[in-house]
Amino acid sequence: MNFRRILPIGLVILLVVGFIVILWVGLAKKEPLTGASGAARINRPAADFTLPLFSGGNLTLSSLKGKPVVLNFWASWCPPCREEAPTLEKVWQVYKDKDVTFIGVDIQDSEAAARAYLAEFGITYPNGPDIGGKITIDYGVGGIPVTFFINRDGRIVSRWVGAISEGLLIARIKEISQ
């Protein structure tokens, strides 16, 4: 056996295998951008904003201090948003008379498409467009849908990225309603 030929080939194989292992570990631990959407806002005061509503008028978040708030970012072209829309409206119907406020923030959408979406799903809670994207930026939204849960003190207690289930939505509302 000629070790002078085998040694360089072995070193190259070892380096390639090592590189692949390091790459795999790094990718396996990396959270996708959408999964990190809004993560830095947890346990912080909710950024105030004024949202022009599709139904007319404006809604200012700070005017809701003392009430639990479910803040959902969505778009009409987003499949998981379409999946969760009936759930959000159903739970809103249960909690709207229990001092809980839902707010929908439409992002990167046309007004016509957003209005059609609201009509299609019979959405009745306050919704409006994030004109210029400032609210989206302030909340660190990198993917949708994302739902923030704001307690009575105006602090973001938690958030959910992706289509939210009815059970999880109700559980989170109970957390912020205490």
Side-chain angles (χ1 to χ4, degrees):
M1 239 190 256
N2 189 344
F3 287 107
R4 288 182 185 230
R5 287 186 187 167
I6 295 174
L7 186 60
I9 293 172
L11 284 174
V12 168
I13 291 172
L14 185 62
L15 287 172
V16 169
V17 169
F19 176 75
I20 291 171
V21 168
I22 290 169
L23 183 64
W24 179 79
V25 168
L27 290 174
K29 301 237 181 221
K30 184 171 173 61
E31 182 176 10
L33 177 61
T34 56
S37 194
R41 299 296 308 158
I42 305 303
N43 295 319
R44 291 186 161 176
D48 195 22
F49 59 83
T50 298
L51 183 69
L53 299 176
F54 288 118
S55 60
N58 293 309
L59 184 146
T60 300
L61 182 64
S62 58
S63 71
L64 300 173
K65 194 155 185 176
K67 294 184 177 192
V69 176
V70 175
L71 178 63
N72 178 258
F73 289 82
W74 62 275
S76 64
W77 46 262
C78 160
C81 300
R82 301 181 74 74
E83 178 185 333
E84 75 177 2
T87 300
L88 288 164
E89 178 61 24
K90 179 181 178 184
V91 175
W92 159 248
Q93 290 299 326
V94 171
Y95 283 91
K96 69 181 182 179
D97 295 327
K98 297 180 181 176
D99 208 32
V100 176
T101 301
F102 280 43
I103 303 170
V105 179
D106 177 41
I107 68 171
Q108 300 175 351
D109 220 343
S110 72
E111 183 175 343
R115 287 182 181 277
Y117 172 95
L118 295 172
E120 177 183 347
F121 294 105
I123 305 293
T124 61
Y125 56 88
N127 270 273
D130 183 13
I131 299 168
K134 183 173 179 354
I135 303 167
T136 303
I137 292 167
D138 287 347
Y139 279 79
V141 174
I144 53 173
V146 61
T147 305
F148 292 88
F149 298 89
I150 304 168
N151 69 11
R152 294 177 188 279
D153 298 326
R155 294 186 76 75
I156 299 173
V157 173
S158 63
R159 59 114 170 86
W160 182 260
V161 178
I164 193 162
S165 70
E166 183 176 342
L168 182 58
L169 182 56
I170 291 169
R172 296 282 174 97
I173 289 170
K174 288 179 180 177
E175 286 176 16
I176 62 173
S177 296
Q178 298 173 353

